[in-house]
Amino acid sequence: MRVRVPVAVALAATLLAGCAQSVDPIERLGKKAAQRVHPHGPAREQPYRHWGLTAPLAPAPKASPGPPARSAAPALPPVVDHVRTRDKVVFLTYDHDAGVRPAPGFADMVRQLRLPVTEFGTVRDHRPVAGLPYDAQRTEICGTRTRLLRPPYGTYDTTTRRAAADCGISALVLWRAATTTGTLTYTRGDHHLAPGDIVRIAPTDTTARLLRGIQEQGLTVGRLEDYL
């Protein structure tokens, strides 16, 4: 007489024997099908696409600045609008004046793209310091408590540099290119970005369009403090 074993019992015995095929639903679907499964819902849009970029910004290489800019006097900090480097990087700088809000989404963009930017505050009175007596300039400059200084309106004199040196400033930072209502203008030289250029971006200007242009020229964004 043949004894029929219930299906459930037979399956349990097979599983215990370690010979059963995996019943993992992902394995049953196969590798190709599994790649289409999103256990946590649809994939989110990549941040770079949100800001209009076709690819993530290339990471800046390890800083390799060229020879330091020479000063008229060794004790005075140099005045720079460009960094001598072979790295294909440019530097984005922002002046944040009191009462002027950055462009909408600026903080989100910097965070999501991990964008290395340099932000300059203003001196206490936000007025040109060039032409003021040494003591007045020193009071204004030392109040910034930074290593790099952007003189208000980009104006300076020898007294500015003397005061900056006494305040521990290592460089006065100007710019070779600047945004004006989304368009780049140049203070000197060729009218296109080159490796090492320092760019001044108005607080109310957007940066996304500029980043697209930087990518198209085979450049990326570096951290200015790593080079100066």
Side-chain angles (χ1 to χ4, degrees):
M1 176 178 177
R2 179 179 297 178
V3 178
R4 294 186 178 182
V5 180
V7 175
V9 175
L11 178 59
T14 307
L15 288 172
L16 289 173
C19 298
Q21 293 183 349
S22 170
V23 293
D24 187 329
I26 297 298
E27 292 188 19
R28 295 177 87 183
L29 286 170
K31 291 183 179 179
K32 290 184 178 180
Q35 290 174 355
R36 298 194 296 268
V37 175
H38 300 287
H40 301 294
R44 294 182 179 180
E45 183 183 36
Q46 294 296 324
Y48 68 87
R49 294 189 183 278
H50 174 76
W51 298 104
L53 302 178
T54 57
L57 277 174
K62 184 178 180 180
S64 56
R70 294 182 178 179
S71 301
L76 299 181
V79 180
V80 298
D81 63 4
H82 177 92
V83 173
R84 288 187 285 179
T85 179
R86 294 182 179 179
D87 296 343
K88 293 184 177 181
V89 296
V90 295
F91 308 100
L92 306 186
T93 65
Y94 299 79
D95 297 344
H96 289 309
D97 303 338
V100 179
R101 293 185 177 181
F106 172 76
D108 290 337
M109 180 191 64
V110 170
R111 175 176 51 82
Q112 292 173 11
L113 298 181
R114 297 182 179 179
L115 197 61
V117 300
T118 300
E119 300 180 71
F120 292 99
T122 61
V123 298
R124 294 181 181 181
D125 294 333
H126 190 49
R127 56 174 176 166
V129 294
L132 295 177
Y134 169 83
D135 288 342
Q137 292 206 40
R138 188 177 187 280
T139 299
E140 294 282 353
I141 293 171
C142 286
T144 62
R145 300 179 182 276
T146 59
R147 185 174 64 82
L148 302 178
L149 172 69
R150 169 153 291 162
Y153 305 101
T155 60
Y156 66 94
D157 55 20
T158 302
T159 303
T160 307
R161 297 173 68 191
R162 284 179 48 221
D166 292 342
C167 292
I169 300 295
S170 59
L172 273 63
V173 180
L174 302 184
W175 57 90
R176 196 184 80 83
T179 60
T180 304
T181 63
T183 302
L184 277 177
T185 59
Y186 297 84
T187 60
R188 63 179 181 85
D190 296 333
H191 285 203
H192 61 77
L193 289 176
D197 277 347
I198 297 173
V199 184
R200 178 183 182 270
I201 303 176
T204 56
D205 268 351
T206 59
T207 305
R209 182 186 300 177
L210 176 60
L211 291 177
R212 292 193 289 271
I214 289 171
Q215 277 190 327
E216 290 170 0
Q217 296 180 60
L219 301 169
T220 191
V221 180
R223 183 174 181 268
L224 183 60
E225 289 83 349
D226 292 341
Y227 286 77
L228 290 179

